[in-house]
Amino acid sequence: MHTMEKPVVWALLLCFVAVVNGVQTTDLGQNGASAGTTQPYRTAYHFQPLKNWMNDPNGPLYYKGVYHLFYQYNPYSAIWGNMTWGHSISNDLVNWVHLEHALNPIEPYELGGCFSGSITMLPGGRPVIFYTGADTNNFQSQNLAFPKDPSDPLLREWVKSPHNPVITAEDDIEPSDFRDPTTAWQAVDGTWQVLIGGKIDGRGMAYLYQSNDFINWTRSEKIFHSSVKTGMWECPDFYPVSINGKDGVDNYLEKGNTKFVLKASFLDHDHYILGYYKAERNGFQVEATDFMEANTDWRYDYGGKFYASKTFFDGGKKRRILWAWIMEADSRANDIKKGWSGLQSIPRVVWLSASGNQLMQWPVEEIESLRKDEVEIKDKELEKGSLVEVVGITAAQADVEISFELPNLEDAEQMEPSWTDPQLLCAQKNAAVEGRLGPFGLLVLASSNLTEETAIFFRVFKNHSRHIVLLCNDLSRSSLSRDVRKTTFGAFLDINPLQESISLRTLIDHSIVESFGGGGKACITARVYPVLAVDKEAKLFAFNKGSHNIKILKLNAWSMKEAKILPIMKRRKPPV
Ligand code: DQQ
């Protein structure tokens, strides 16, 4: 990294009012919430713009020592519309500075919005944005924008290509379902490849386009991949992962050492499949099972609110990082009232599991810099029917890690063959239903009398000689408000409790709860809008409603400091 770059961004992030390198920031308090307004659901350490609507992360990037996040943004309202690319920068993926918008919808081909897209690094290190423009008829085309000054690590100004639109829908493509270009990569012969999401007759797919110069693109005769069980593919993502280790991979042509992830966003979830990229034939070969095949419907997150995600390779720390839009679960009227809608997930490192059959995810380590007031509980018996309050932290703004030991695994309840849907199973056997090994886990954002509580818990079953571990997030009692969705979510966790403890990490931030089971093997994100369990009134408990005593091996909980997410930086007038 250039030695001058890091201090510049640090100074921007740390000062109350800073004037550094021609930019100015102002700190308004909790994540930009203006003083005087009650904002119980505004987060303290998740990325949010100061106000209005935000959805998909776009073109995340690490460039000259600076992290960039672009995102779908409506500058005028808390509901979707006027899609513009918001732009923020960070030194650490935790503290952010909002910059001017990167793309405004002003050209005829994008008057309906500058939709999602990605960034590709061209040879020589120049970034290019590839994005979808929707015109006033919602005809979608693919477009390019370049930084005005590539030597500026902040990439503050973007210039649209005079060649736009560079790809338009051919006659056999539905023009309103043709969007969201991936990061492009080069094939063996150097030609550029990019995927674009689409649908024909209800069947979701990724089209492959190719180019020698990044400007003239032709569609490959072969569809890159499609699946009849899917709907329209939004925001496809395609990237290599290492088969031995956690390091991220950026080279699409690396032989032998990688598998590929193909992700598509459809029907409100981000699904992925694993396979191999046949560079010579420019094709994708599914390794085991395709999208939505029985028993292996891999999702990044099994909550209902994690969508339109995108990864990028962080060349600084050699890791692949995943961002996603976290939708609201309240009403449109509430969004208008609170003046904003949409969060970004905590960025997650993503890598292939040791078994090679699924992805793992874990919050970026930088988020731990916000931890304070640690509370630790070790080797504590959690008797059947008991509840242990975790005191000494700000429970509405916290990070919790807990692991359990189960002494009586042979007593686990028998798994029925019909219990194939984890979400349904979690709804039927919710947190109030006593079992044998479970439910046990955490009650977060709980009011003191437990009128409100959000339960994240496990149940362990036996299927012949194997144990099946179920991770649930029960929101049915999460809020007294009738105006919010309180769905219960669930996932099976591929761990063997005979060989490893059952662990959970949960990040709580006022109206969002992100849970990572089994060290990141299954994740569930939920939006929660308590009425009583707000701010200082919120409590955190560990609980066991199973019929057997179990043990908390270790619990570590922290209050989380507020991240600095500073408002728009104004350009400083040059000194006279
Ligand atoms: N959001 C964008 C589209 C994308 C969708 C528009 C996914 O480009 O398909 O805001 O949330």
Side-chain angles (χ1 to χ4, degrees), residues 53 55-56 72 80 83 114-117 132 179-180 232-235 307-308 325:
W53 168 277
N55 54 302
D56 319 349
Q72 290 282 283
W80 187 89
M83 283 296 107
C114 295
F115 286 2
S116 287
T132 298
R179 57 183 178 271
D180 306 338
M232 164 72 193
W233 284 17
E234 298 190 300
C235 303
Y307 195 67
W325 168 36

Side-chain angles (χ1 to χ4, degrees), residues 418-466:
S418 62
W419 294 351
T420 52
D421 180 340
Q423 181 168 6
L424 193 63
L425 192 52
C426 286
Q428 285 164 351
K429 291 178 176 288
N430 62 45
V433 179
E434 289 173 23
R436 279 198 223 162
L437 300 184
F440 61 88
L442 297 173
L443 295 182
V444 306
L445 294 174
S447 60
S448 43
N449 57 3
L450 298 184
T451 316
E452 288 182 331
E453 61 179 40
T454 292
I456 303 125
F457 65 87
F458 298 100
R459 282 180 193 271
V460 181
F461 302 102
K462 216 165 46 181
N463 191 1
H464 306 293
S465 56
R466 270 186 68 217

Side-chain angles (χ1 to χ4, degrees), residues 139-150:
F139 282 15
Q140 295 162 7
S141 61
Q142 318 313 322
N143 301 283
L144 303 176
F146 295 89
K148 189 168 180 187
D149 175 10

Side-chain angles (χ1 to χ4, degrees), residues 115-386:
F115 286 2
S116 287
S118 309
I119 286 188
T120 303
M121 295 302 287
L122 297 175
R126 184 180 177 215
V128 53
I129 289 179
F130 215 148
Y131 71 101
T132 298
D135 70 11
T136 46
N137 294 316
N138 196 23
F139 282 15
Q140 295 162 7
S141 61
Q142 318 313 322
N143 301 283
L144 303 176
F146 295 89
K148 189 168 180 187
D149 175 10
S151 73
D152 170 18
L154 309 188
L155 297 171
R156 292 186 74 166
E157 275 186 79
W158 291 82
V159 181
K160 290 170 192 159
S161 166
H163 301 286
N164 287 348
V166 292
I167 305 178
T168 49
E170 289 95 344
D171 288 347
D172 58 333
I173 293 180
E174 173 52 54
S176 57
D177 281 326
F178 182 57
R179 57 183 178 271
D180 306 338
T182 60
T183 293
W185 71 95
Q186 282 177 294
V188 184
D189 63 2
T191 51
W192 287 103
Q193 320 286 320
V194 74
L195 302 183
I196 298 169
K199 157 180 109 173
I200 289 183
D201 298 332
R203 180 191 177 112
M205 62 182 60
Y207 298 105
L208 174 66
Y209 280 77
Q210 299 169 313
S211 171
N212 288 318
D213 57 5
F214 224 91
I215 290 182
N216 297 290
W217 294 86
T218 45
R219 173 152 60 118
S220 157
E221 280 170 16
K222 213 170 45 182
I223 280 167
F224 192 72
H225 196 66
S226 77
S227 163
V228 74
K229 296 189 177 153
T230 64
M232 164 72 193
W233 284 17
E234 298 190 300
C235 303
D237 198 7
F238 181 63
Y239 57 91
V241 281
S242 170
I243 53 176
N244 35 29
K246 282 179 76 170
D247 277 0
V249 183
D250 198 25
N251 181 356
Y252 283 65
L253 301 179
E254 201 169 296
K255 284 245 183 267
N257 191 26
T258 55
K259 276 187 195 178
F260 278 76
V261 179
L262 179 60
K263 184 276 296 187
S265 303
F266 54 87
L267 307 176
D268 276 352
H269 288 104
D270 279 17
H271 303 251
Y272 70 85
I273 52 177
L274 296 171
Y276 298 95
Y277 173 52
K278 298 286 159 197
E280 301 73 20
R281 286 186 279 115
N282 234 325
F284 177 69
Q285 185 194 318
V286 178
E287 181 186 46
T289 39
D290 213 325
F291 285 110
M292 308 283 276
E293 303 253 310
N295 302 327
T296 46
D297 175 28
W298 293 117
R299 300 182 192 175
Y300 281 150
D301 195 287
Y302 292 84
K305 303 290 154 211
F306 183 104
Y307 195 67
S309 64
K310 194 171 291 294
T311 64
F312 74 103
F313 177 72
D314 170 5
K317 292 204 171 175
K318 305 273 173 286
R319 54 188 176 172
R320 184 161 287 273
I321 294 179
L322 170 70
W323 280 104
W325 168 36
I326 309 297
M327 308 173 193
E328 301 296 316
D330 62 352
S331 66
R332 204 172 138 107
N334 274 356
D335 290 347
I336 293 170
K337 204 157 111 197
K338 64 191 203 282
W340 56 271
S341 172
L343 308 175
Q344 297 295 327
S345 63
I346 293 299
R348 303 174 177 180
V349 180
V350 56
W351 72 98
L352 195 65
S353 67
S355 64
N357 69 337
Q358 70 160 112
L359 293 175
M360 308 285 292
Q361 296 163 65
W362 200 245
V364 292
E365 61 187 4
E366 288 88 336
I367 205 72
E368 293 165 27
S369 66
L370 296 177
R371 289 172 166 178
K372 62 171 187 174
D373 312 329
E374 180 171 9
V375 171
E376 185 171 70
I377 299 174
K378 263 183 155 170
D379 290 328
K380 183 171 175 53
E381 189 88 350
L382 197 53
E383 287 176 17
K384 54 182 179 181
S386 70

